[in-house]
Each structure stands twice: as C-alpha cells, then as structure tokens.
Amino acid sequence: MNNILVIGSTGQIGSELTFELRSRYGNGHVVAGYIIGAEPKGELAESGPMEITDVIDGSHVAEVVRKYNIDTIYNLAALLSVVAEKRPRLAWRIGIDGLWNILEVARENNCAVFTPSTITQFICQHTLERAVVEKFREQGWECSSIKELKELINKGNRELANHIVNAVRVCDPSVGSGHFLVSALNQLIEIKYRLGILLDDEGLPVANYNIKIIDDELVIRDEEGKRFAYKRNTGTLKLQKVLFREKRDIIENCLFGVDINPNSVNICQLRLWIELLKNAYYNDSTHLVTLPNIDINIKCGDSVIHRKRLSDDLRGEMARARMNVQEYKQLVADYKNIHDKAKRKEKEARLNELKENILYVIKNDDELYRKRNKAQAEWNELTSSMYADALDCEDDKKNEKLQEKIAKLNKKIERYNEQIKEREEMYKQAVEWRFAFPEVLDDNGRFAGFDCIVGNPPYISIAKLKEVTKKALSKGGYTSFDSNGDICMLFYEYGMELL
C-alpha cells in the first residue's frame, strides 16, 4: 500500500482504522473520506488529508483517487440499521449502487478494495431472499416475498419447504477466503428460522430461541436474552443437533465455490468446517459427531477459462466417455458422507476416472488434437511399411521415399505437439463447470445452473495477464472481452451464464 482512501472515516470503525493506517503508512498517505454533515474533527482532521467522498457519486470518488494516486480503498460507507430500516431505498443506493461505483473506480484505477462484513451481509440477504422465493415459485407456490411465503407454510408442508430451501444452489466463482459463502450459510439458517422450517428431530419448529444476523454473525439468544452455548448433557443438545444438521445440509447441498489460488480454497474449506464444528455435539457413544467431506464443493481453478461453453450440447461426448449423470451425481453425494478412508479413496478414484474420461474425449474432439492424431496414425503406418520393406531388402528408392515422408510427418507432429503443449498450458487451470459440479446438471447432462451468484470478482487488467491466459480468455466466447479491459467484466458475463 502506498496511498490509501478510507471512505466513511468519521464512523466509529472508520476513525480508528484511519488513525491506525496513518500510524503505519504515514499521515500524508491516508486520505480520510467523508460526507457533508459528517466532517472529520479534531485530530482526525488535523493529522492528514481529508476529502468529500459520497459513494453515490462515483465520479467524485474517482477524482479523489486520481488526485492522491490512491492504490487501496477501504469502503466503510453504510447507514445505521435503524436508519436503513426507515429508508431502505437509500440503504440500497449506498450499499449496492455505492459499492458498484467504488468497484468501477477501483477497476479503472487499478485499486485494491476492502469492504466490511455488513456489505457482504446486505448482498447475501437480499440475493438469497429472492432466490428462496423464486425456488418456491418454481415448485408452484404462489408468493412474491418471504412474508407471503411464510403464510403458506403449515404443519403439513414444513418438511417439504425445508427441502425446497436445501435445493437453492449458491455459487461464488471467486470465493477467496469464503466470506460470502459463510454469510450465505448464516442467511439460509436465518431464513429457515423466519419461515418456521428450522425443524427439530420431531419435525417441530425451533422454539424458545431468537435467531438473528447481527454484523454478519448468526446470533442466537434464549428467551432471557442470553447467548446460546452448547453444554453436554443439558437441554442445549436439542438445538445444537438442529443447527449441526441444518448447517451440514446447506454446506453439502447449497454452497459452491471456485478460486484460482489453492491457499484460498483451503482457507474457504476450513472456514466452512469451522462453521459446522461450532455446532458439533457428542453422540450417544460420547464421541463428537463426524463431519462430512465438504472439500468437493470448493474447487481450485480459473472460473472464466473453459474448453466448452455451458450452452454446448455434450451428450455425445458424455456417451463416448461412458459418463452416466445419475451415477456421477450419486458418487458425489456418497463421497460427502464416507468416513472410511479406503472407501473414500475408492469413490474419489472413480470420480477422477469419470472426469478424466470426459476431458479426454473433449480434448481429442479438438481439431488440433485430431490433426495430430491423424498424422501420428499415418506415421505409424509408414514406419510399419518401411520396416516390412526393409526386411525384403529389394527396393532402396521406395525406402528413401518412405523415409522422406516419415521425416516430414515427424516435423508436422512436432509442430502439432508444440501447439498442443501451448493449448494444455492455456487450459491447465480451466474449470469445466458441469463436470466440476454435477449437482447443477439435469438428468440429461445439460447445465441447469445455479440459483444465485455472490462474491466480489477480481479486478485485474487483462493487459497485465500472461499471454497464454489472454489467449485462453479470448477464445472463451465472451462478448465483453477486451485485451485492454478488466477481467471483472468476464466474471460478470460468465456469472450470468452460470445462473
């Protein structure tokens, strides 16, 4: 970090953050952003530069970024919850439109952006409420809001409603540390509670507790206002079991993510396990209940690079690879709940075999591979012929001609192999989404799509990427691809296709 802009610097967190950043990087390198009516005062105003930065006006923020050559933006712009409840439209403009403006400014000026958890919470809440309502509408339920949906739920359809929520598929294609997925997990738990479908072992809604999300954290209190805390051999076991089961079902069935950084993938997987571990409990044999294998839902790869578009019909390729969609889906489901190491390795090996088979077929359908394979087959035939003629030792001229043809084929095969080597490098980290996540395939192998996409895409100039990566992106079929553009635009475009 060289020059930093803190938007919302006069709030409680913003002011402390500004002071801390100035102590680390120098007073002149940290700009305190504010809005009219909330000007910095005292030491905050005197210790360093300050500028008006209304996030609703993106051009104004851009001027400040350029004026101070800002490379890092901390976005703390937000309304107090009591104000936001009274003025939801303004909350939306600041939380969503304002964030969009900041991200656009960051994209245009190559800035890093840090946003608070309240932004993540806001995005996940509104996105998932709409996704849940839409999922019920797909099943024939006539509702347009969570409030209307709740009125339709009764004793006879609670379990069905719970299963419908578990069918909501959420994906973060640039998952990072997993912040958005953890937020989505908490939101789905809270939505189930509000709908009265957070059910115990007897199929009854959780009672005597209040569940809310506060500052992006799931907060559970009893009727006396005390925070819920699980203790062995007490009445808290009932709720602990509910939370564990529901979190496990949501993590297994609803949450998916991809990131190009393997360390980020590991951190995301760990965060989801920790969220589940919070509600682990001791079973009858005095052992902690076992955790599922959720690693399979978080993949490492480049989300916007692929050999095949999602709209491509691959039923022929799947048939040649002997890939059965139902078997593939069942293998993934079984893998998540196998705890015997030997059996898990066996399932994993079969999953890898299926994926390798279909990728082999897809690669060899590529015109470049077909040309190389044809040249190789011709080379094999000629060398066999030359060997047979050499045994006869009758026609030296014929052998010379064969050797010339073989030499030419050798050069042709070498050229193809060099091109194939480049092609392999291009797609080394490619994500073939329908095979990475069979949960979003229909029974015919077509990509049915996720219900919602969340996250904060990377903001990187395509011009700064490796040549091989740029070439792969240029072949991705993107209407928004521009060699001088930003990769975030490809994430936006592909995010729409993933739905």
Side-chain angles (χ1 to χ4, degrees), residues 80-100:
L80 293 173
S81 58
V82 65
V83 178
E85 288 172 3
K86 294 178 180 178
R87 304 182 66 185
R89 177 56 190 153
L90 180 59
W92 180 274
R93 291 184 69 195
I94 293 173
I96 301 301
D97 297 341
L99 176 60
W100 173 267

Side-chain angles (χ1 to χ4, degrees), residues 395-411:
D395 195 339
D396 292 338
K397 288 185 177 180
K398 184 178 180 181
N399 282 340
E400 286 179 11
K401 289 183 179 180
L402 282 174
Q403 288 175 349
E404 288 177 5
K405 286 184 179 180
I406 290 171
K408 288 181 180 179
L409 279 173
N410 273 331
K411 290 182 179 179

Side-chain angles (χ1 to χ4, degrees), residues 448-465:
F450 295 95
D451 296 291
C452 60
I453 304 295
V454 296
N456 183 14
Y459 291 81
I460 304 170
S461 172
I462 292 175
K464 294 182 178 181
L465 299 175

Side-chain angles (χ1 to χ4, degrees), residues 30 39 331:
V30 181
E39 293 82 359
L331 278 169

Side-chain angles (χ1 to χ4, degrees), residues 5 13 34 60 72 95 111 169 191 218 222 225 240 257 268 275 288 293 312-313 342 364 367 449 459 466:
L5 170 62
I13 296 175
Y34 66 95
H60 195 185
T72 304
C111 299
R169 305 286 185 252
I191 287 172
L218 195 67
D222 62 19
Q240 187 78 345
C268 178
E275 288 299 315
L288 271 175
N293 303 308
D312 292 342
D313 187 348
N364 282 278
E367 183 180 2
Y459 291 81
K466 293 179 180 178

